[in-house]
Amino acid sequence: MNLNQTIQCPVCNGPINFNVQALIAGASFECRDCKAVIKISPSSMNQVKQVYENFINLKDKKAKKVDTFSISEFLEVVDKV
């Protein structure tokens, strides 16, 4: 799984590059175009960490059938919690 990802900036639609593990650990990332910052809110941090751990466990169980997961698949898991 590639932990370096890019999402669209919610302000200017430019790219924001981020690392999934660093984001979950509390890091923030800045849009290089408009300087908007993304990070996980402190009130959501424990829930996001738990969902990510569940995601990794599911990924490990499915490793024989599927080699990689995309960030969109991870976000689908997050949305269900």
Side-chain angles (χ1 to χ4, degrees):
M1 180 168 116
N2 183 4
L3 297 177
N4 295 314
Q5 299 290 323
T6 301
I7 62 168
Q8 194 172 35
C9 175
V11 176
C12 74
N13 296 323
I16 299 178
N17 299 316
F18 69 99
N19 177 280
V20 173
Q21 287 181 326
L23 185 67
I24 291 171
S28 59
F29 296 87
E30 184 177 85
C31 175
R32 63 180 173 222
D33 295 336
C34 75
K35 308 302 182 206
V37 175
I38 63 161
K39 67 182 278 183
I40 298 172
S41 70
S43 63
S44 299
M45 189 63 68
N46 287 335
Q47 183 178 12
V48 170
K49 285 180 181 180
Q50 183 61 49
V51 169
Y52 185 71
E53 289 173 14
N54 291 344
F55 173 76
I56 294 301
N57 289 335
L58 287 172
K59 178 185 139 316
D60 291 344
K61 288 179 183 177
K62 298 285 184 176
K64 293 178 183 175
K65 295 180 183 178
V66 178
D67 292 331
T68 60
F69 285 85
S70 69
I71 190 63
S72 61
E73 290 170 314
F74 170 69
L75 293 175
E76 286 177 26
V77 173
V78 171
D79 287 340
K80 292 180 182 178
V81 173

